[in-house]
Every structure is written in structure tokens, then in C-alpha cells.
Amino acid sequence: MADTKVYRASTTAPVNIAVVKYWGKRDTKLNLPTNSSLSVTLAQSDLRTLTTASCSSSYPSEQGDTLLLNGEPSDVSGARIQACFRALRARRAALEATDSSLPKLSAMPLRLVSENNFPTAAGLASSAAGFAALVRAIANLYELTDNPSQLSLIARQGSGSACRSLFGGYVAWRMGQAADGSDSLAEQVAPASHWPEMRALILVVSAAKKDVGSTSGMQQTVATSSLFQQRVREVVPANMAKMEKAIQDKDFGAFAEVTMRDSNSFHSTCSDSYPPIYYMNDVSRAAVRAVEAVNEAAGKTVAAYTFDAGPNAVIYYLEKDAEAVVGTFAAVVGGASGWKEGATSLKSGIALNETVA
Ligand code: ADP
Ligand code: DP6
Ligand code: CO
């Protein structure tokens, strides 16, 4: 009898927010970056993707592979999502070739159903959590034995930042040198348990879809910004080294300074692009000033801001300083005047979980 069974696997993946940013591709086809990057995984946060992958020979083959994203059919004809499907199918086909008792899942149409519990394409790393969840859900469905670094090679092709969301804790994406991208993968530099006091506060300034997506924004920067050259050659390598040391030493002052400087450097290359790209807005800049005020009042650095390709602020701090940091932002978001009205909500993230499945 023909196998018409529906095979299914689900997974969740968290967002990660870079403290040394990825911005720039040296190879757009393989999605290879111009620089290494480093992030903190917000494993126990309000921001995650839940994805279910299924396949069945009973799914009509003329429909091909499908993705329902936040309840809406989403196009899967793009080269990057296709590269993920192709790589995962090839890994499954290799298993099937060595064990003929395995069902031929690699030949069946895939159906993906995915939900982000936070704004999509708003600069809150939905492509990171989204593609990490997509790759892991299919890898689970196919019962692949690949480790997270090997899966990160596949997730990277869907969205660069996604390669870092397959791990918990503190994660580096090594840019690599190989022309085929085989060494451009993510690895954990420290588990969350190494520095479990780390916290993240997310100030949602806008949940709207950004005007300039990450992919096109960084390509515009690579093509037109001269400041970008200095960032890639000097700023990022130095920041990577300082950041890895700050994490090893659990030195929050150093971690915070590199985080804030790297965010500033990244946004400077955006405004140095031609035409310029502005992701931060007045509310974002007010959040920067609020962090500075919190640090001044504490007499030392207890909070660090960083902004991805959008106006929303992520503020890193240590649990012991929660009152000073969260208290300040909760008061301003809930407050009645000034810039405060621009921020719509606060979300918290805790980099506590090592395993993020
Ligand atoms: P963000 O700042 O949210 O990462 P990007 O511009 O980098 O924004 O990427 C947004 C794109 O990522 C979406 O338009 C969609 O193509 C993809 N994406 C987001 N969430 C998912 C998901 N859960 N599953 C698959 N793809 C997703
Ligand atoms: C500013 O990973 O979204 O968040 O590879 O084109 O999908 P694509 O880009 P994406 O870029 C993320 C840029 C960033 C910095 C970072 O996460 O490192
Ligand atoms: Co993204």
C-alpha cells in the first residue's frame, strides 16, 4: 500500500540580538558576510518563532512546497528559502540512500506553518528566529543527525542572522574564507550559564514593517559607503576581539561599551550610504539618552543600547541592576509626556537557556 502518512515535526527558535553586527555580504548567492558577528540569544523571551514542518505523498505535488507565515500564504520561490529546502532534502536523501527502510520523505512536498509571536520584518530579528526554526523543524522532520553548527550553514543561506539562533548563550558567526561558504558558520562562544545574569529589555518603538529590509539595506551600504570599508577592516575585528574577552571575563563595562560603539558604527555606515538609510528615529535617540542618564545616575555603566535595522531599542543589563534599568524604562513607557509616547511596549528577554529547542 502506498505510504500516505503525514510526517510532522515542530520546533521553536528564539531571536538573537547582535552586539557586534553583521552588515554586508561578500557573496549574495551563498549569503556570505563581509565580517564576523556576535550575538546574545534571547532564549527565554517574549520573542520567538514556532514552526511546524510536515510532508506527505498525499500532498498534491502541483502545489509544491508551501509556507503559511502568520496565517498568510508566503512565497517560497525565493532563491534563499529554496537553498534551505535543497540542502535539507539532500541531507535526507543521503540518509535514505544508506537505509532503504527509511520512508522517502525527501521526495514529498513540504508544508510549513510558522508563527512569530512578535512583529515580522520590523527590525526585531524575525528572519533570524524564522529561518532557524524553519531549518530545525525540517531537520527534525527528516531526523537529520547534523549538529547545530552544520545546520547553521544551511540557516545562514536563508538569512545570515539565522545561523546564530540555533544556539543558546553567546554566539559568534565566523565569516570564514572558503569561496563555497563551508566555513561561514556559527558557534557558541559561551553558554548562557557562563554569564546567567545577562538580561535584555526590548523597547518596541514601532512594530511596522521597515521601509528598507536588511538584505537591500546592507547591499546599498556595501556599494556606496566609504566608512563601511573602515568598519569591516578595522572596527569589527577589534570589536570581535574585545567582545569575546569581555564575555570570557564577564566584564559588563567592556561588553556595554563595545555593544554601544558597534551599534553606533553600524548606523553610521547606514547614514553614510548614498542615498542614506535611517533606521533609528527620534524615539530611538531618546532611548540612547535615557541609557546614558541611567549610567550617569549609577556612576558606572549598567545598561547598553543596541539597534538592529529598525528603530526598536534592545537594552542589555545585569539582573542586579534591573531596578535602575527596567524601572527607568517602565516609567518612561508608561509615562505621559515627551518621547515616552513614541514607545508602544516593553518586552523582556533573558539569556538563560542553553538549549533553545
Ligand atoms: P527582521 O528585522 O524582522 O529580521 P528582515 O528584513 O531581515 O527583517 O526579514 C524579514 C523576512 O524574514 C520576512 O519578510 C520573511 O521573508 C522572513 N521571515 C520572517 N519570519 C519568518 C518565519 N517565521 N518563517 C520564515 N521566514 C520568515
Ligand atoms: C542589523 O540576517 O536580516 O540585524 O542575511 O539579508 O537576511 P539577511 O540579513 P539579516 O541581517 C541582520 C542585520 C542586523 C545585524 C545582525 O543581526 O547581526
Ligand atoms: Co533580519
Side-chain angles (χ1 to χ4, degrees), residues 19 195 239 242-247 249-261 301 304:
V19 289
W195 201 359
N239 284 352
K242 283 183 204 157
M243 182 55 78
E244 287 187 57
K245 184 169 179 346
I247 291 169
D249 298 347
K250 295 195 261 181
D251 177 348
F252 188 81
F255 170 92
E257 182 172 343
V258 177
T259 297
M260 294 187 280
R261 282 182 180 275
T301 308

Side-chain angles (χ1 to χ4, degrees), residues 15 23 48-51 67-70 74-76 80-81 112-134 158-161 209-210 212-216 218 279 308-310 312:
V15 304
W23 196 250
R48 36 178 57 242
T49 299
L50 171 63
T51 299
L67 165 63
L68 203 63
L69 176 51
N70 301 325
S74 183
D75 180 29
V76 295
R80 287 174 30 195
I81 194 165
L112 294 148
V113 178
S114 187
E115 298 280 339
N116 297 332
N117 70 351
F118 62 97
T120 299
L124 286 169
S126 73
S127 66
F131 275 96
L134 178 141
S159 176
S161 53
K209 192 170 180 301
K210 54 198 169 196
V212 184
S214 301
T215 306
S216 61
M218 65 178 81
Y279 286 120
D308 270 359
N312 305 309

